[in-house]
Short mmCIF file of all heavy atoms in Angstrom, two decimals:
data_model
loop_
_atom_site.label_atom_id
_atom_site.label_comp_id
_atom_site.label_asym_id
_atom_site.label_seq_id
_atom_site.Cartn_x
_atom_site.Cartn_y
_atom_site.Cartn_z
N GLU A 30 0.82 -1.21 0.00
CA GLU A 30 0.00 0.00 0.00
C GLU A 30 0.86 1.26 0.00
O GLU A 30 0.50 2.27 -0.62
CB GLU A 30 -0.92 -0.01 1.23
CG GLU A 30 -1.76 1.24 1.41
CD GLU A 30 -2.77 1.45 0.30
OE1 GLU A 30 -3.18 0.47 -0.35
OE2 GLU A 30 -3.16 2.61 0.06
N ARG A 31 2.02 1.21 0.65
CA ARG A 31 2.86 2.41 0.74
C ARG A 31 3.42 2.82 -0.61
O ARG A 31 3.43 3.99 -0.97
CB ARG A 31 4.00 2.19 1.73
CG ARG A 31 3.52 2.11 3.19
CD ARG A 31 4.66 1.75 4.11
NE ARG A 31 5.23 0.43 3.79
CZ ARG A 31 6.26 -0.11 4.41
NH1 ARG A 31 6.87 0.56 5.37
NH2 ARG A 31 6.69 -1.30 4.08
N SER A 32 3.86 1.81 -1.41
CA SER A 32 4.45 2.13 -2.72
C SER A 32 3.43 2.04 -3.86
O SER A 32 3.67 2.54 -4.96
CB SER A 32 5.62 1.19 -3.01
OG SER A 32 5.16 -0.15 -3.13
N GLY A 33 2.33 1.35 -3.59
CA GLY A 33 1.33 1.16 -4.63
C GLY A 33 1.73 0.12 -5.66
O GLY A 33 1.20 0.12 -6.78
N SER A 34 2.65 -0.77 -5.34
CA SER A 34 3.10 -1.80 -6.27
C SER A 34 3.23 -3.13 -5.54
O SER A 34 3.05 -3.21 -4.32
CB SER A 34 4.45 -1.39 -6.88
OG SER A 34 5.44 -1.24 -5.87
N MET A 35 3.57 -4.17 -6.30
CA MET A 35 3.73 -5.50 -5.72
C MET A 35 5.14 -5.65 -5.17
O MET A 35 6.11 -5.12 -5.73
CB MET A 35 3.46 -6.57 -6.77
CG MET A 35 2.10 -6.48 -7.45
SD MET A 35 0.70 -6.71 -6.33
CE MET A 35 0.84 -8.47 -5.97
N ARG A 36 5.29 -6.40 -4.06
CA ARG A 36 6.60 -6.65 -3.46
C ARG A 36 6.66 -8.08 -2.97
O ARG A 36 5.63 -8.70 -2.68
CB ARG A 36 6.85 -5.69 -2.30
CG ARG A 36 5.90 -5.89 -1.13
CD ARG A 36 6.24 -5.01 0.06
NE ARG A 36 5.26 -5.20 1.14
CZ ARG A 36 5.32 -6.18 2.04
NH1 ARG A 36 6.31 -7.07 2.00
NH2 ARG A 36 4.40 -6.28 2.99
N ASP A 37 7.84 -8.65 -2.87
CA ASP A 37 8.02 -10.00 -2.35
C ASP A 37 7.92 -9.98 -0.83
O ASP A 37 8.52 -9.11 -0.17
CB ASP A 37 9.37 -10.57 -2.76
CG ASP A 37 9.45 -10.87 -4.25
OD1 ASP A 37 8.36 -11.01 -4.87
OD2 ASP A 37 10.56 -10.95 -4.79
N ASP A 38 7.15 -10.93 -0.32
CA ASP A 38 6.98 -11.05 1.13
C ASP A 38 7.22 -12.51 1.48
O ASP A 38 6.43 -13.39 1.15
CB ASP A 38 5.57 -10.62 1.52
CG ASP A 38 5.34 -10.66 3.04
OD1 ASP A 38 6.18 -11.22 3.77
OD2 ASP A 38 4.30 -10.14 3.48
N THR A 39 8.33 -12.79 2.17
CA THR A 39 8.68 -14.18 2.50
C THR A 39 7.72 -14.81 3.50
O THR A 39 7.64 -16.03 3.61
CB THR A 39 10.10 -14.25 3.08
OG1 THR A 39 10.17 -13.39 4.24
CG2 THR A 39 11.13 -13.79 2.05
N GLY A 40 6.95 -13.98 4.18
CA GLY A 40 6.00 -14.51 5.15
C GLY A 40 4.61 -14.73 4.57
O GLY A 40 3.75 -15.32 5.23
N ALA A 41 4.40 -14.28 3.34
CA ALA A 41 3.06 -14.44 2.74
C ALA A 41 2.88 -15.87 2.25
O ALA A 41 3.82 -16.52 1.80
CB ALA A 41 2.89 -13.46 1.59
N SER A 42 1.65 -16.35 2.31
CA SER A 42 1.33 -17.72 1.86
C SER A 42 -0.07 -17.75 1.28
O SER A 42 -0.75 -16.73 1.18
CB SER A 42 1.44 -18.71 3.03
OG SER A 42 0.33 -18.56 3.91
N TRP A 43 -0.49 -18.94 0.93
CA TRP A 43 -1.84 -19.12 0.38
C TRP A 43 -2.92 -18.70 1.38
O TRP A 43 -4.06 -18.46 1.01
CB TRP A 43 -2.06 -20.57 -0.04
CG TRP A 43 -1.95 -21.56 1.12
CD1 TRP A 43 -0.83 -22.19 1.54
CD2 TRP A 43 -3.02 -21.98 1.98
NE1 TRP A 43 -1.10 -23.01 2.62
CE2 TRP A 43 -2.46 -22.88 2.90
CE3 TRP A 43 -4.37 -21.68 2.08
CZ2 TRP A 43 -3.21 -23.49 3.92
CZ3 TRP A 43 -5.12 -22.28 3.08
CH2 TRP A 43 -4.54 -23.19 3.99
N GLN A 44 -2.58 -18.64 2.66
CA GLN A 44 -3.53 -18.22 3.69
C GLN A 44 -3.61 -16.70 3.81
O GLN A 44 -4.41 -16.18 4.58
CB GLN A 44 -3.14 -18.81 5.05
CG GLN A 44 -3.11 -20.35 5.05
CD GLN A 44 -2.77 -20.93 6.40
OE1 GLN A 44 -3.63 -21.01 7.29
NE2 GLN A 44 -1.52 -21.33 6.57
N SER A 45 -2.77 -16.00 3.02
CA SER A 45 -2.73 -14.54 3.07
C SER A 45 -3.58 -13.96 1.94
O SER A 45 -3.79 -14.60 0.91
CB SER A 45 -1.29 -14.04 2.92
OG SER A 45 -0.43 -14.65 3.86
N ASP A 46 -4.02 -12.72 2.15
CA ASP A 46 -4.75 -12.06 1.08
C ASP A 46 -3.78 -11.36 0.15
O ASP A 46 -2.55 -11.57 0.23
CB ASP A 46 -5.80 -11.10 1.65
CG ASP A 46 -5.18 -9.92 2.40
OD1 ASP A 46 -3.93 -9.78 2.37
OD2 ASP A 46 -5.95 -9.14 3.00
N TYR A 47 -4.28 -10.48 -0.71
CA TYR A 47 -3.44 -9.82 -1.73
C TYR A 47 -2.36 -8.95 -1.12
O TYR A 47 -1.34 -8.69 -1.73
CB TYR A 47 -4.34 -8.99 -2.64
CG TYR A 47 -4.79 -7.68 -2.03
CD1 TYR A 47 -4.25 -6.48 -2.47
CD2 TYR A 47 -5.74 -7.64 -1.01
CE1 TYR A 47 -4.66 -5.27 -1.92
CE2 TYR A 47 -6.14 -6.46 -0.45
CZ TYR A 47 -5.62 -5.27 -0.90
OH TYR A 47 -6.01 -4.08 -0.34
N ALA A 48 -2.58 -8.50 0.16
CA ALA A 48 -1.61 -7.60 0.80
C ALA A 48 -0.78 -8.31 1.86
O ALA A 48 0.00 -7.66 2.57
CB ALA A 48 -2.34 -6.41 1.43
N GLY A 49 -0.94 -9.63 1.99
CA GLY A 49 -0.14 -10.38 2.96
C GLY A 49 -0.81 -10.55 4.30
O GLY A 49 -0.20 -11.11 5.22
N HIS A 50 -2.05 -10.09 4.44
CA HIS A 50 -2.78 -10.26 5.71
C HIS A 50 -3.57 -11.58 5.67
O HIS A 50 -3.74 -12.19 4.62
CB HIS A 50 -3.73 -9.08 5.93
CG HIS A 50 -3.05 -7.76 5.85
ND1 HIS A 50 -3.52 -6.70 5.09
CD2 HIS A 50 -1.90 -7.30 6.43
CE1 HIS A 50 -2.72 -5.66 5.20
NE2 HIS A 50 -1.71 -6.01 6.01
N ASN A 51 -4.04 -11.99 6.85
CA ASN A 51 -4.84 -13.22 6.91
C ASN A 51 -6.08 -13.06 6.01
O ASN A 51 -6.77 -12.05 6.05
CB ASN A 51 -5.27 -13.51 8.34
CG ASN A 51 -4.11 -13.99 9.20
OD1 ASN A 51 -3.14 -14.54 8.69
ND2 ASN A 51 -4.21 -13.76 10.51
N ALA A 52 -6.32 -14.10 5.21
CA ALA A 52 -7.40 -14.03 4.22
C ALA A 52 -8.67 -14.67 4.75
O ALA A 52 -8.63 -15.69 5.45
CB ALA A 52 -6.98 -14.72 2.94
N ASP A 53 -9.82 -14.08 4.38
CA ASP A 53 -11.13 -14.66 4.70
C ASP A 53 -11.36 -15.89 3.81
O ASP A 53 -10.95 -15.93 2.66
CB ASP A 53 -12.23 -13.62 4.47
CG ASP A 53 -13.58 -14.13 4.92
OD1 ASP A 53 -14.26 -14.80 4.11
OD2 ASP A 53 -13.97 -13.86 6.08
N ASP A 54 -12.06 -16.89 4.35
CA ASP A 54 -12.29 -18.13 3.60
C ASP A 54 -13.09 -17.91 2.32
O ASP A 54 -13.05 -18.73 1.40
CB ASP A 54 -13.01 -19.15 4.48
CG ASP A 54 -12.05 -19.91 5.39
OD1 ASP A 54 -10.83 -19.69 5.27
OD2 ASP A 54 -12.52 -20.71 6.22
N LYS A 55 -13.86 -16.81 2.22
CA LYS A 55 -14.69 -16.58 1.04
C LYS A 55 -13.95 -15.85 -0.07
O LYS A 55 -14.49 -15.69 -1.17
CB LYS A 55 -15.94 -15.79 1.43
CG LYS A 55 -16.88 -16.55 2.35
CD LYS A 55 -18.12 -15.74 2.68
CE LYS A 55 -19.05 -16.51 3.62
NZ LYS A 55 -20.26 -15.71 3.97
N LEU A 56 -12.74 -15.42 0.20
CA LEU A 56 -11.95 -14.77 -0.84
C LEU A 56 -11.36 -15.82 -1.78
O LEU A 56 -11.13 -16.97 -1.37
CB LEU A 56 -10.83 -13.96 -0.21
CG LEU A 56 -11.22 -12.68 0.52
CD1 LEU A 56 -10.01 -12.11 1.26
CD2 LEU A 56 -11.77 -11.65 -0.47
N PRO A 57 -11.09 -15.45 -3.03
CA PRO A 57 -10.39 -16.39 -3.91
C PRO A 57 -8.97 -16.61 -3.39
O PRO A 57 -8.30 -15.65 -2.97
CB PRO A 57 -10.40 -15.68 -5.26
CG PRO A 57 -10.52 -14.23 -4.94
CD PRO A 57 -11.36 -14.15 -3.71
N VAL A 58 -8.51 -17.85 -3.41
CA VAL A 58 -7.16 -18.11 -2.93
C VAL A 58 -6.16 -17.52 -3.92
O VAL A 58 -6.31 -17.63 -5.14
CB VAL A 58 -6.94 -19.62 -2.74
CG1 VAL A 58 -6.97 -20.38 -4.06
CG2 VAL A 58 -5.61 -19.87 -2.00
N VAL A 59 -5.15 -16.79 -3.39
CA VAL A 59 -4.08 -16.23 -4.20
C VAL A 59 -2.75 -16.69 -3.60
O VAL A 59 -2.73 -17.49 -2.68
CB VAL A 59 -4.16 -14.68 -4.25
CG1 VAL A 59 -5.38 -14.23 -5.04
CG2 VAL A 59 -4.18 -14.08 -2.84
N ASN A 60 -1.69 -16.22 -4.17
CA ASN A 60 -0.36 -16.62 -3.70
C ASN A 60 -0.15 -18.13 -3.86
O ASN A 60 0.52 -18.77 -3.03
CB ASN A 60 -0.14 -16.22 -2.22
CG ASN A 60 -0.37 -14.74 -1.99
OD1 ASN A 60 0.00 -13.92 -2.84
ND2 ASN A 60 -0.98 -14.39 -0.86
N VAL A 61 -0.75 -18.69 -4.91
CA VAL A 61 -0.58 -20.11 -5.21
C VAL A 61 0.08 -20.24 -6.58
O VAL A 61 -0.16 -19.44 -7.50
CB VAL A 61 -1.92 -20.87 -5.20
CG1 VAL A 61 -2.45 -21.01 -3.79
CG2 VAL A 61 -2.95 -20.17 -6.08
N SER A 62 0.91 -21.26 -6.73
CA SER A 62 1.61 -21.49 -7.99
C SER A 62 0.77 -22.36 -8.92
O SER A 62 -0.26 -22.92 -8.53
CB SER A 62 2.95 -22.18 -7.72
OG SER A 62 2.73 -23.50 -7.23
N TRP A 63 1.29 -22.49 -10.17
CA TRP A 63 0.63 -23.41 -11.12
C TRP A 63 0.68 -24.83 -10.57
O TRP A 63 -0.29 -25.58 -10.72
CB TRP A 63 1.36 -23.33 -12.47
CG TRP A 63 0.76 -24.20 -13.54
CD1 TRP A 63 -0.21 -23.87 -14.41
CD2 TRP A 63 1.12 -25.57 -13.84
NE1 TRP A 63 -0.51 -24.92 -15.25
CE2 TRP A 63 0.31 -25.99 -14.92
CE3 TRP A 63 2.05 -26.46 -13.31
CZ2 TRP A 63 0.40 -27.26 -15.47
CZ3 TRP A 63 2.12 -27.73 -13.86
CH2 TRP A 63 1.30 -28.13 -14.94
N ASN A 64 1.79 -25.18 -9.90
CA ASN A 64 1.93 -26.53 -9.32
C ASN A 64 0.88 -26.77 -8.24
O ASN A 64 0.31 -27.86 -8.14
CB ASN A 64 3.33 -26.70 -8.73
CG ASN A 64 4.41 -26.50 -9.77
OD1 ASN A 64 4.35 -27.06 -10.86
ND2 ASN A 64 5.40 -25.66 -9.44
N ASP A 65 0.62 -25.72 -7.42
CA ASP A 65 -0.39 -25.85 -6.38
C ASP A 65 -1.78 -26.06 -6.99
O ASP A 65 -2.56 -26.88 -6.51
CB ASP A 65 -0.42 -24.58 -5.51
CG ASP A 65 0.88 -24.35 -4.75
OD1 ASP A 65 1.61 -25.34 -4.51
OD2 ASP A 65 1.16 -23.19 -4.42
#
């Protein structure tokens, strides 16, 4: 949000939302690879 762009976050996972926060179960899952 501070820069208005995407950044790498080593702590983000499939359980995170688009900004790296805990995601609600009704949101589309993101931060997943093609393999996932």
Side-chain angles (χ1 to χ4, degrees):
E30 176 65 25
R31 290 174 298 178
S32 64
S34 60
M35 304 297 289
R36 65 175 178 84
D37 290 339
D38 183 348
T39 57
S42 74
W43 62 269
Q44 301 182 79
S45 307
D46 66 7
Y47 77 107
H50 306 131
N51 288 334
D53 186 274
D54 278 356
K55 294 181 180 179
L56 288 172
V58 66
V59 291
N60 305 322
V61 288
S62 67
W63 181 90
N64 302 311
D65 297 335

